[in-house]
């Protein structure tokens, strides 16, 4: 296996710190390290050392990364301490390191000060798991890693090593000329999502053949039972012995073929999932966050360690693809289609995305601006758009005279300036059918699907058409605009809407009654019910828009009780965050990774207290 030094300049920029500034920081760090060691001598039980004062902790962090990259106060930190979709809370500081060595030094200071660390990349999580929440017994420091981007190609791009700030879009862009794809592509939850965030959350995404984001080859920092910070190198790459040497080398990519281990003892993807998802008669879901088979060190860690680099498989692109748009009015019709495809097709679909008519309507009106923005601006410019939206939201918080949700109102208004953006055939199917499935096939699977669909449709329940290239692009963009559209609906209809409950559900693989039917008294509490998901994996996202006056906590409990009775698992792919209770297997994983409860405590309703209370 050989390593290529081909690296995109826009993606890899190890550090922009000038040499003099780096030397100054090194002198400061040496001074801190000497005094830390002296303190340890004076107090033999370092885990009982007094907590640092807010001022001294903030100054120590500034000495490492510079004052500009230590943010304090709600006005400067709210972008990082407020969840993309839900949640948020105060932090003493948000730190934005520029190198992996700076992260290591920041972690060392925080651990010695007995401060809580919340690692964060793009902050695109849907369950509040990368921001503070609730009350803690120690100072909270958020470490945002987006300044540290980098991708190193292994064996011509068959594998990659990604640094913490690298986004899925950046990885996809780098691999495109090589004819390869990352684990996930645009749309899993947000275009700006980070690669390492997907690993931490076992994110599944839309691609049926690949399963949850997973690796056993990672470089991470963790705190042991003795309260000491350690660097664990399981990348399968020889990088030296000392932590800072290892971190500098992996960031710069200064390793060659002789440094790379070829053993298959550790995997860089979930190689078994394509067989696993085909087992349609199994009484268990295909994938979910608490699945013990897919919890391994950093994979599924939800920030319980500080993930600093990950080695991942990439996948060859299909030379030819085709997309089929299927409409049906029958739950059993689509259930049978799913069974036939997974059981009988030689080629698994690339993806199969489902949405209900009500989700179609919400996205058509409240996700229109997002679809048009992607088409007109391209995905590369969307992070700038998101940043602008965040800054407008910050301004609204500072100036209460401005209308609430101003950025959403402006974007909604912008969308209305354009004509209908959806293809005519999609509109016609919206009127004819309640259930919509966008099926993408590659290679020999194209003819398999075409022949099967021509035999099956039209029938009393449904029909299909093969999409043009433009229709296919629109259909997938429309599907992936649904989640944001649900949030937009809530923002603009505050007078009628109490709240929104978003559930992330994995149904059993043998469940024929996949579409939810709620009892009337419960159903009457909703203004909208928005169903969409990854159909062949039986993973569904279900957004319930509550009518004004409804008790959100009580309603959520009723919904979860119904899912429990159905044998479903939740969450499926967005992790527990602060919205779900962690099941025993997940809680055991967290405690094994973080026995002192230093990293992201409180997830899944677990203890926020030091040493787990």
């Amino acid at each position: 296996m050989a390593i290529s030094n081909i690296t995109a300049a826009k993606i890899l920029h190890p550090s922009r710190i000038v040499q003099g500034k780096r030397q100054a920081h090194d002198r400061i760090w040496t001074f801190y390290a000497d005094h830390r060691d002296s303190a340890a001598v004076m107090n033999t039980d370092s885990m009982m050392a007094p907590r640092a004062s807010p001022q001294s902790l903030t100054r120590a962090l500034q000495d490492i990364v510079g004052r500009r990259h230590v943010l304090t106060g709600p006005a400067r930190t709210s972008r990082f301490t407020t969840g993309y979709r839900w949640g948020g809370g105060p932090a003493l500081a948000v730190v934005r390191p520029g190198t992996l060595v700076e992260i290591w030094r920041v972690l060392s200071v925080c651990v010695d000060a007995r401060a809580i660390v919340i690692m964060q990349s793009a902050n695109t999580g849907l369950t509040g798991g990368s921001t503070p929440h609730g009350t803690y017994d120690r100072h909270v420091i958020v470490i945002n890693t987006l300044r540290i981007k980098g991708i190193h190609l292994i064996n011509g791009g068959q594998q990659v090593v990604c640094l913490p700030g690298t986004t899925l879009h950046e990885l996809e862009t780098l691999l495109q000329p090589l004819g390869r794809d990352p684990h996930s592509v645009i749309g899993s939850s947000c275009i700006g999502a980070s690669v390492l965030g997907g690993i931490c959350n076992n994110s599944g995404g839309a691609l049926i053949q690949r399963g949850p984001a997973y690796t056993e080859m990672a470089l991470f920092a963790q705190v042991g039972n003795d309260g000491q910070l350690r660097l664990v190198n399981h990348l399968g790459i020889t990088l030296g012995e000392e932590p800072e040497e290892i971190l500098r080398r992996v960031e710069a990519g200064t390793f060659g073929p002789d440094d790379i281990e070829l053993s298959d003892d550790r995997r860089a993807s979930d190689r078994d999932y394509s067989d696993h998802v085909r087992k349609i008669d199994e009484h268990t879901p295909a994938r979910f966050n608490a699945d013990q088979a897919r919890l391994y060190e950093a994979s599924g860690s939800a920030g319980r360690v500080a993930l600093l680099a990950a080695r991942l498989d990439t996948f060859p692109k299909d030379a030819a693809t085709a997309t089929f748009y299927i409409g049906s009015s029958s739950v059993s019709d689509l259930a049978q289609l799913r069974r036939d495809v997974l059981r009988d097709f030689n080629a698994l679909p690339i993806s199969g995305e489902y949405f209900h008519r009500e989700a179609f309507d919400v996205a058509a009106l409240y996700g229109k601006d997002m679809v048009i923005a992607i088409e007109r601006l391209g995905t590369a410019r969307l992070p700038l758009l998101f940043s602008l939206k965040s800054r407008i939201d910050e301004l609204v918080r500072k100036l209460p005279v401005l209308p609430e949700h101003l950025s959403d109102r402006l974007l909604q208004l912008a969308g209305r300036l354009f004509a209908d953006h959806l293809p005519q055939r999609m509109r016609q199917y919206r009127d004819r059918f309640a259930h919509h499935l966008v099926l993408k096939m590659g290679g020999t699977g194209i003819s398999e699907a075409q022949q099967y669909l021509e035999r099956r449709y039209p029938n009393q329940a449904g029909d299909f058409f093969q999409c043009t290239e433009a229709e296919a692009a629109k259909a997938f963009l429309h599907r992936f605009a649904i989640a944001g559209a649900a949030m937009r609906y809530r923002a603009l209809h505050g007078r009628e809407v109490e709240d929104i409950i978003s559930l992330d559900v994995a149904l059993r693989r043998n469940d024929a009654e996949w579409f939810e039917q709620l009892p009337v008294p419960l159903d009457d509490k909703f203004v909208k019910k928005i169903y969409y998901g990854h159909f062949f994996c039986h993973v569904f996202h279900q957004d319930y828009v509550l009518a004004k006056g409804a008790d959100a906590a009580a309603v959520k409990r009723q919904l979860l009780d119904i899912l429990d009775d159905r044998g479903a698992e939740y969450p499926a792919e967005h992790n527990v965050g602060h919205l779900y209770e962690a099941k025993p297997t997940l809680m055991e994983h967290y405690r094994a990774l973080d026995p002192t409860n230093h990293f992201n405590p409180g997830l899944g309703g677990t203890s926020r207290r030091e040493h787990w209370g």
Side-chain angles (χ1 to χ4, degrees):
M1 185 177 289
I3 182 164
S4 168
N5 287 324
I6 300 172
T7 310
K10 291 183 180 178
I11 294 176
L12 178 61
H13 46 87
S15 175
R16 298 290 192 256
I17 299 175
V18 297
Q19 187 65 25
K21 188 174 180 183
R22 178 186 288 279
Q23 291 171 348
H25 283 186
D26 287 346
R27 287 195 298 271
I28 292 167
W29 173 254
T30 302
F31 176 83
Y32 161 75
D34 291 344
H35 283 70
R36 178 191 61 185
D37 294 340
S38 299
V41 171
M42 289 185 289
N43 188 340
T44 56
D45 188 355
S46 61
M47 288 188 291
M48 296 305 293
R51 297 181 178 89
S53 70
Q55 295 80 9
S56 61
L57 178 53
T58 301
R59 281 196 300 271
L61 298 173
Q62 290 172 341
D63 288 343
I64 297 168
V65 303
R67 295 178 61 89
R68 177 185 173 192
H69 297 298
V70 178
L71 311 179
T72 58
R76 300 186 69 203
T77 62
S78 60
R79 283 177 56 202
F80 304 93
T81 59
T82 303
Y84 167 73
R85 186 167 180 176
W86 183 90
L92 175 64
V94 174
V95 186
R96 303 179 68 240
T99 67
L100 293 181
V101 168
E102 286 185 356
I103 290 185
W104 176 254
R105 295 177 177 183
V106 167
L107 289 172
S108 297
V109 167
C110 290
V111 170
D112 282 355
R114 295 166 63 199
I116 287 168
V117 172
I118 298 177
M119 298 294 295
Q120 177 193 95
S121 292
N123 189 20
T124 59
L126 303 188
T127 59
S130 57
T131 53
H133 180 76
T135 303
Y136 299 90
D137 61 337
R138 291 154 285 165
H139 301 314
V140 176
I141 303 298
V142 175
I143 300 178
N144 183 280
T145 64
L146 276 186
R147 293 179 62 213
I148 310 172
K149 296 178 180 291
I151 303 170
H152 306 301
L153 302 179
I154 295 176
N155 197 21
Q158 292 188 33
Q159 288 187 328
V160 291
V161 174
C162 292
L163 300 186
T166 304
T167 66
L168 281 169
H169 174 65
E170 289 164 343
L171 178 56
E172 185 180 4
T173 301
L174 182 64
L175 293 175
Q176 190 167 3
L178 305 178
R180 301 190 71 83
D181 274 330
H183 167 270
S184 298
V185 294
I186 176 175
S188 299
S189 61
C190 176
I191 291 164
S194 69
V195 176
L196 269 56
I199 294 296
C200 291
N201 292 321
N202 282 145
S203 299
L207 301 179
I208 299 166
Q209 303 164 13
R210 301 175 195 174
Y214 181 81
T215 188
E216 297 169 2
M217 309 181 85
L219 175 70
F220 57 92
Q222 69 179 150
V223 178
N225 273 308
D226 57 359
Q228 298 300 307
L229 182 70
R230 293 176 176 82
L231 185 66
V232 179
N233 179 14
H234 286 163
L235 284 172
I237 302 174
T238 301
L239 295 165
E241 298 297 329
E242 293 300 317
E244 294 197 4
E245 175 193 8
I246 293 170
L247 294 170
R248 286 194 176 101
R249 287 186 63 189
V250 75
E251 185 167 354
T254 53
F255 48 88
D258 293 341
D259 298 315
I260 301 170
E261 298 174 16
L262 303 178
S263 171
D264 287 332
D265 291 344
R266 292 178 181 269
R267 299 181 297 168
S269 64
D270 184 357
R271 302 170 190 165
D272 302 324
Y273 186 76
S274 58
D275 294 326
H276 182 73
V277 74
R278 283 187 181 270
K279 296 177 180 177
I280 54 177
D281 293 317
E282 293 293 321
H283 204 59
T284 56
R287 55 179 170 93
F288 56 99
N289 284 129
D291 185 357
Q292 194 166 11
R294 294 174 180 85
L295 299 176
Y296 189 94
E297 295 181 344
S299 293
S301 63
R304 289 296 191 162
V305 296
L307 180 56
L308 303 176
R311 180 172 164 183
L312 306 165
D313 289 332
T314 68
F315 305 86
K317 280 181 175 289
D318 288 281
T321 64
T323 299
F324 303 91
Y325 196 102
I326 301 159
S328 181
S329 298
S330 167
V331 170
S332 59
D333 174 60
L334 288 186
Q336 188 60 50
L337 180 148
R338 174 180 170 273
R339 289 182 62 85
D340 291 346
V341 170
L342 292 178
R343 181 188 60 216
D344 301 332
F345 278 28
N346 291 320
L348 272 178
I350 296 171
S351 61
E353 291 300 293
Y354 166 82
F355 47 91
H356 185 260
R357 177 187 282 150
E358 193 161 19
F360 184 112
D361 292 344
V362 170
L365 183 58
Y366 298 95
K368 179 180 177 181
D369 58 286
M370 179 55 65
V371 172
I372 292 172
I374 293 172
E375 288 182 324
R376 303 292 178 95
L377 301 177
T379 51
R381 295 184 181 179
L382 283 184
L384 181 62
L385 182 63
F386 292 144
S387 177
L388 178 61
K389 184 180 185 301
S390 296
R391 292 184 185 280
I392 293 174
D393 292 337
E394 281 185 43
L395 183 63
V396 170
R397 281 189 285 267
K398 293 177 183 176
L399 302 173
V401 294
L402 294 174
E404 193 177 12
H405 304 298
L406 177 60
S407 64
D408 286 294
R409 296 179 190 279
L410 292 173
L411 289 169
Q412 189 67 19
L413 180 62
R416 291 179 181 174
L417 300 177
F418 294 86
D420 187 8
H421 63 299
L422 294 177
Q424 184 179 4
R425 288 201 287 185
M426 283 180 63
R427 285 288 187 185
Q428 291 171 346
Y429 269 52
R430 179 263 168 225
D431 294 337
R432 292 174 60 190
F433 305 113
H435 305 287
H436 299 249
L437 178 63
V438 186
L439 174 65
K440 185 176 183 180
M441 303 295 301
T444 59
I446 297 173
S447 58
E448 267 191 301
Q450 188 168 20
Q451 292 169 19
Y452 170 82
L453 293 172
E454 287 175 349
R455 291 194 305 269
R456 186 174 187 85
Y457 298 113
N459 61 27
Q460 290 182 342
D463 205 348
F464 88 101
F465 64 85
Q466 184 168 343
C467 296
T468 66
E469 188 175 335
E471 287 173 329
K474 257 318 181 351
F476 281 111
L477 285 176
H478 186 62
R479 152 64 184 92
F480 292 122
I482 294 173
M487 301 306 292
R488 174 74 57 76
Y489 183 93
R490 179 182 70 169
L492 300 186
H493 293 270
R495 293 181 180 179
E496 306 95 51
V497 172
E498 181 68 31
D499 202 350
I500 188 168
I501 299 173
S502 297
L503 299 183
D504 173 28
V505 179
L507 301 183
R508 298 170 300 186
R509 282 170 283 177
N510 66 348
D511 197 341
E513 297 299 324
W514 55 270
F515 189 73
E516 184 175 67
Q517 297 293 334
L518 297 176
V520 173
L522 179 58
D523 198 55
D524 288 343
K525 297 182 186 295
F526 304 119
V527 176
K528 298 279 185 186
K529 300 193 305 295
I530 304 169
Y531 296 101
Y532 53 105
H534 315 305
F535 186 66
F536 291 91
C537 299
H538 256 195
V539 167
F540 293 91
H541 306 298
Q542 301 176 177
D543 295 338
Y544 306 86
V545 183
L546 281 169
K548 204 72 175 176
D551 184 338
V555 170
K556 181 181 177 182
R557 185 65 263 165
Q558 287 180 272
L559 292 169
L560 294 181
D561 287 343
I562 291 171
L563 290 173
D564 289 339
D565 291 341
R566 296 176 66 190
E569 291 280 355
Y570 50 85
E573 60 177 359
H574 290 154
N575 225 308
V576 291
H578 295 286
L579 281 178
Y580 298 91
E581 291 184 10
K583 296 193 174 178
T585 52
L586 205 54
M587 194 180 301
E588 289 168 12
H589 185 54
Y590 294 162
R591 293 193 70 146
L593 292 173
D594 186 22
T596 62
N597 216 14
H598 261 95
F599 289 95
N600 215 354
L603 288 183
T606 59
S607 171
R608 287 181 170 81
R609 296 181 64 81
E610 193 171 19
H611 302 288
W612 295 80

